[in-house]
């Protein structure tokens, strides 16, 4: 989930819940000879961890603090088609959204506990209707795949796996499959399923808990188990900025100082004198091209490079170029031209990490991606593969002002637009110049410096090629 939020890493405080989990794993590893964790998770190591637990300093400074009251959470369903869209189950269920396929799969879910939660839905239904064995609704297919072979064995040992099979579920091998668009069980055009990234781009996909998936498969529409009750007096999830703790003079002053420091940093970044970057011999001092605008926020790596091609190592560069952005816009290939500059919205390249999201854009002969903000993993993958990226929020705002979208659901809205605008990145001066079409306004924006070591990686054709070259130099010197 940290990756989905475009963060590079996430830290969580260690608590008693985590300690109990680690203690159970340590005991399990000590008893069972087949556990590979027996050297990594031991009671001695757990003792060391909790003797000096990782905690934030009392005077730690944060760019932003957010709080979420977990007591106000109710079951949610994400979608359709984006984890950024969430609806409380008790608001979605009355819509009776028919589904075609349901999945309890993937490496991050489908643990023994998830399979147990799903199986319980069928067991509870059997208890309530002892004369009628619970079966998956007509016209629905339920697929199950454990997160790993040991997780499947654990589910089999307690009977949960068999309960799901008896209800009509189809078993798939543990590991990657439909959730990345591979194998059997993929959504067809027009179908609705409870899971994302699992087939045709014209299918609608939702993401939900194992209980909701099982209940939906049982009833044929998105719904919760019969035991689910709508929360009383529920008025929404309580969340906001800060910590939700009672305000004190001390934390008010601390918050004010943090805001002032952030404001000063932003002003200084705007007023910084024009810099001059040392350009490597042969490295382009300027990169220029027409702006191609893909007006979408949270355009993830599945939209950029479909998961079904991820493990097809025999795809040529031409083939990769042809399917680039296929899930986002099938017309992208015919609209774009070599040396175009791709501009998109915020959190571009979020989602699962795959380097093909960067290399497919390069195969399309697009040398530069500009966005309001970039997913951190995509940004790193891009530079590692010699694709240059910039964050210029002002450009996205200007484009949206000139090319407004009436509605995200407007089927006539162009997903990929040739703007007639040009962007020139003066690498040496760390300056972007935008010409807003013929006779339009011209403006500039200071951007971050492209350091010499990053230039070296890009000039070499990516990090792998750079490492090989450096190793070659070292070998030549040694010999």
């Amino acid at each position: 989930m940290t990756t989905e939020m475009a963060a590079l890493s996430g830290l969580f405080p260690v608590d008693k819940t985590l300690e109990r989990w680690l203690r159970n794993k340590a005991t399990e590893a000590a008893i069972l000879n087949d556990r590979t964790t027996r050297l990594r998770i031991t009671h001695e190591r757990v003792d060391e961890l909790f003797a000096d637990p990782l905690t934030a300093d009392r005077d730690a400074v944060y760019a932003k603090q957010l709080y979420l009251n977990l007591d106000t959470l109710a079951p949610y369903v994400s979608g359709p088609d984006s984890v950024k869209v969430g609806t409380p189950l008790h608001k979605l269920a009355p819509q009776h959204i028919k589904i075609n396929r349901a999945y309890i799969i993937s490496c991050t879910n489908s643990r023994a506990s998830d399979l147990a939660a799903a199986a319980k839905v069928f067991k509870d239904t059997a208890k309530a209707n002892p004369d009628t064995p619970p079966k998956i609704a007509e016209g629905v297919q339920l697929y199950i795949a454990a997160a790993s072979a040991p997780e499947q064995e654990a589910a089999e040992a307690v009977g949960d796996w068999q309960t799901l099979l008896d209800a009509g579920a189809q078993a798939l091998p543990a590991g990657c499959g439909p959730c990345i668009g591979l194998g059997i069980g993929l959504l067809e055009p027009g179908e609705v399923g409870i899971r994302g990234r699992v087939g045709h781009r014209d299918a609608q996909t939702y993401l939900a808990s194992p209980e909701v998936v099982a209940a939906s498969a049982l009833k044929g529409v998105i719904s919760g188990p019969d035991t689910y009750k709508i929360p009383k007096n529920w008025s929404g999830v309580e969340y906001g900025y800060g910590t939700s703790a009672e305000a004190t003079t001390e934390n008010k002053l601390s918050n004010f100082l943090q805001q002032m420091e952030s404001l000063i940093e932003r002003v200084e970044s705007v007023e910084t004198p024009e810099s001059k970057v040392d350009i490597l011999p042969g490295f382009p001092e300027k990169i220029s091209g027409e702006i191609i605008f893909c007006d979408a926020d949270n355009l993830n790596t599945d939209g950029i490079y479909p998961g079904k091609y991820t493990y097809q190592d025999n795809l040529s560069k031409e083939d990769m170029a042809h399917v680039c952005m296929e899930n986002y816009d099938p017309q992208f290939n015919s609209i774009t031209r070599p040396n175009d500059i791709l501009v998109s919205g915020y959190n571009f390249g979020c989602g699962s990490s795959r380097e093909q999201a960067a290399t497919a854009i390069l195969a399309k002969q697009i040398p530069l991606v500009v966005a309001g903000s970039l997913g951190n993993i995509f940004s790193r993958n891009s530079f590692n593969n010699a694709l240059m990226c910039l964050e210029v929020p002002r450009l996205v705002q200007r484009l949206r002002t000139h090319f407004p979208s009436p509605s995200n659901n407007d089927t006539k809205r162009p997903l990929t637009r040739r703007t007639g605008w040009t962007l020139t990145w003066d690498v040496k001066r760390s300056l972007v110049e935008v010409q807003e079409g013929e006779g339009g306004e011209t403006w500039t924006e200071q951007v971050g410096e492209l350091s010499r070591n990053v230039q070296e990686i890009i000039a070499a054709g990516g990090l792998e090629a750079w490492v090989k070259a450096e190793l070659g130099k070292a070998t030549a010197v040694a010999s």
Side-chain angles (χ1 to χ4, degrees):
M1 289 302 100
T2 300
T3 303
E4 293 287 359
M5 293 185 287
L8 198 58
S9 63
L11 294 176
F12 291 82
V14 292
D15 56 12
K16 289 297 181 182
T17 301
L18 176 60
E19 183 178 9
R20 285 194 298 271
W21 185 87
L22 288 171
R23 294 289 182 193
N24 288 337
K25 287 297 180 182
T27 300
E28 181 184 82
I31 294 174
L32 303 175
N33 293 328
D34 63 341
R35 289 294 183 264
T36 59
T37 55
R38 64 187 317 167
L39 297 179
R40 294 186 290 108
I41 305 179
T42 65
H43 286 288
E44 291 75 18
R45 296 196 69 178
V46 177
D47 290 337
E48 292 176 9
L49 173 63
F50 284 90
D52 185 22
L54 179 67
T55 57
D57 296 336
R58 287 182 57 83
D59 59 348
V61 177
Y62 303 95
K64 185 184 294 183
Q65 294 187 54
L66 306 171
Y67 74 88
L68 172 67
N69 185 347
L70 298 180
D71 287 335
T72 65
L73 278 180
Y76 264 70
V77 175
S78 295
D81 306 325
S82 173
V83 294
K84 306 296 180 182
V85 179
T87 306
L89 175 61
H90 64 265
K91 291 187 176 181
L92 199 64
Q95 299 179 30
H96 300 290
I97 299 172
K98 186 181 183 302
I99 70 168
N100 304 94
R101 303 172 193 261
Y103 309 82
I104 303 172
I105 54 175
S106 91
C107 53
T108 52
N109 291 298
S110 213
R111 296 155 295 189
S113 57
D114 297 313
L115 295 165
K120 187 176 184 300
V121 174
F122 292 98
K123 291 177 180 178
D124 289 345
T125 302
K127 288 179 182 178
N129 304 277
D131 297 329
T132 307
K135 293 291 182 180
I136 295 162
E138 185 178 352
V140 176
Q141 298 181 69
L142 171 63
Y143 301 91
I144 58 173
S148 64
E151 293 296 327
Q152 180 172 333
E153 291 170 4
E156 290 173 337
V158 295
D160 293 329
W161 189 262
Q162 190 60 45
T163 296
L164 295 170
L165 293 179
D166 290 343
Q170 301 178 49
L172 300 177
C176 283
C179 68
I180 197 173
L182 300 174
I184 65 172
L186 304 185
L187 288 168
E188 299 294 336
E191 290 189 335
V192 177
I194 305 283
R195 194 64 174 89
R197 302 168 24 180
V198 292
H200 199 276
R201 67 182 301 274
D202 291 334
Q204 283 194 319
T205 56
Y206 293 82
L207 180 68
S209 68
E211 295 95 330
V212 172
V213 173
S216 301
L218 186 63
K219 299 175 183 178
V221 295
I222 296 178
S223 56
D226 291 333
T227 55
Y228 171 66
K229 304 297 182 185
I230 297 175
K232 291 183 178 180
N233 302 319
W234 189 84
S235 59
V237 179
E238 182 186 331
Y239 65 96
Y241 292 101
T243 63
S244 79
E246 186 177 347
T248 65
T249 302
E250 181 182 2
N251 62 36
K252 282 183 178 179
L253 179 60
S254 176
N255 288 339
F256 174 74
L257 290 175
Q258 288 186 34
Q259 292 176 35
M260 291 304 296
E261 288 174 356
S262 177
L263 177 62
I264 292 170
E265 287 178 1
R266 291 199 299 269
V267 172
E268 287 178 343
S269 67
V270 173
E271 296 180 348
T272 300
E274 196 174 283
S275 60
K276 292 294 178 72
V277 177
D278 184 21
I279 301 296
L280 287 175
F283 195 89
E285 291 193 9
K286 292 184 179 182
I287 297 170
S288 185
E290 182 180 347
I291 292 174
I292 298 299
F293 189 34
C294 295
D295 188 4
D297 293 333
N298 307 307
L299 208 168
N300 62 31
T301 50
D302 287 293
I304 301 169
Y305 193 78
K308 63 184 178 182
Y309 302 119
T310 301
Y311 297 116
Q312 295 186 26
D313 295 334
N314 61 341
L315 255 65
S316 66
K317 185 179 291 187
E318 291 74 19
D319 290 335
M320 291 182 70
H322 185 76
V323 302
C324 180
M325 305 289 278
E326 179 181 276
N327 269 358
Y328 167 71
D329 180 10
Q331 304 303 317
F332 181 86
N333 180 59
S334 61
I335 294 173
T336 55
R337 303 167 188 160
N339 298 314
D340 282 339
I341 292 176
L342 173 60
V343 178
S344 191
Y346 295 85
N347 200 22
F348 181 83
C350 59
S352 61
S353 172
R354 63 188 64 158
E355 65 177 16
Q356 294 100 324
T359 55
I361 294 174
L362 279 174
K364 195 63 186 159
Q365 298 183 57
I366 293 173
L368 176 64
V369 171
V370 182
S373 63
L374 298 158
N376 280 331
I377 292 180
F378 173 81
S379 178
R380 185 58 187 262
N381 275 337
S382 295
F383 283 108
N384 283 353
N385 287 280
L387 174 65
M388 290 179 278
C389 300
L390 288 174
E391 293 184 345
V392 187
R394 181 184 175 189
L395 175 58
V396 177
Q397 294 164 6
R398 296 285 295 179
L399 284 165
R400 285 178 171 171
T401 299
H402 282 72
F403 305 104
S405 298
S407 168
N408 287 333
N409 297 320
D410 185 357
T411 56
K412 295 182 180 179
R413 179 176 69 99
L415 298 176
T416 304
R417 182 193 296 271
R418 297 204 69 85
T419 63
W421 294 20
T422 57
L423 180 146
T424 301
W425 178 20
D426 190 326
V427 181
K428 188 176 184 65
R429 297 164 61 203
S430 300
L431 195 72
V432 162
E433 180 180 280
V434 176
Q435 171 67 50
E436 296 183 354
E438 187 176 349
E441 184 178 341
T442 300
W443 52 270
T444 60
E445 180 95 353
Q446 202 77 33
V447 295
E449 295 183 359
L450 191 68
S451 61
R452 188 179 181 89
N453 61 325
V454 175
Q455 291 179 47
E456 290 177 353
I457 292 172
I458 293 171
L463 184 61
E464 183 179 347
W466 179 84
V467 170
K468 287 181 178 179
E470 292 299 305
L471 290 174
K473 293 177 186 176
T475 302
V477 171
S479 59

